[in-house]
Amino acid sequence: MYTALTKPMTRIAAALTVALPLGFCGHALAADVDVAAAEALAKKSNCTKCHAADKKKDGPSYKETASKLKGKADAVAKLTTHITTGPKVKIDGVEEEHAIVKSKDAAEISNLVHYILSR
């Protein structure tokens, strides 16, 4: 579904992808992440309703997501696109739109993505 936010969020995802150095594995060192800011944005965006750092809820844990994307060159781009464009996801067999992160700031979004990938 196309929303008024889709186009700007797609631009942010593209900007973050272009800004990444080639060959970046998609994982940040925990020291490179502002954990408090990432957790605050996740809470503000209601990510914590369906996701937790290390246990499955309605959605996968951040640890599971990080493990699934580990070593993939496009990990940051994939996760950024996922949280900024509202793709369809299945929850208990029911398809619905994934929530979009509540920020338009590329640095905040990048920090959240790296937080998730560093779990």
Side-chain angles (χ1 to χ4, degrees):
M1 173 180 224
Y2 184 82
T3 67
L5 289 177
T6 303
K7 193 170 184 178
M9 290 301 171
T10 302
R11 287 184 188 151
I12 290 171
L16 288 171
T17 301
V18 171
L20 297 172
L22 293 175
F24 183 70
C25 71
H27 297 274
L29 297 174
D32 296 338
V33 175
D34 183 340
V35 173
E39 289 176 347
L41 180 56
K43 186 175 179 178
K44 173 183 166 185
S45 301
N46 295 320
C47 300
T48 55
K49 176 183 173 200
C50 298
H51 302 280
D54 59 359
K55 64 180 178 181
K56 182 170 177 27
K57 288 179 146 183
D58 285 338
S61 69
Y62 298 147
K63 183 177 181 178
E64 183 181 338
T65 298
S67 177
K68 181 180 172 183
L69 295 173
K70 185 176 183 175
K72 295 187 178 182
D74 62 348
V76 171
K78 279 188 172 189
L79 188 53
T80 300
T81 298
H82 186 78
I83 67 172
T84 60
T85 62
K88 297 281 186 188
V89 294
K90 280 195 176 183
I91 299 175
D92 295 328
V94 177
E95 192 172 79
E96 61 181 66
E97 282 187 22
H98 188 275
I100 295 173
V101 68
K102 293 183 177 172
S103 177
K104 293 182 182 179
D105 183 295
E108 287 181 351
I109 294 168
S110 177
N111 186 61
L112 177 59
V113 166
H114 287 92
Y115 166 78
I116 293 167
L117 293 174
S118 70
R119 299 297 98 196

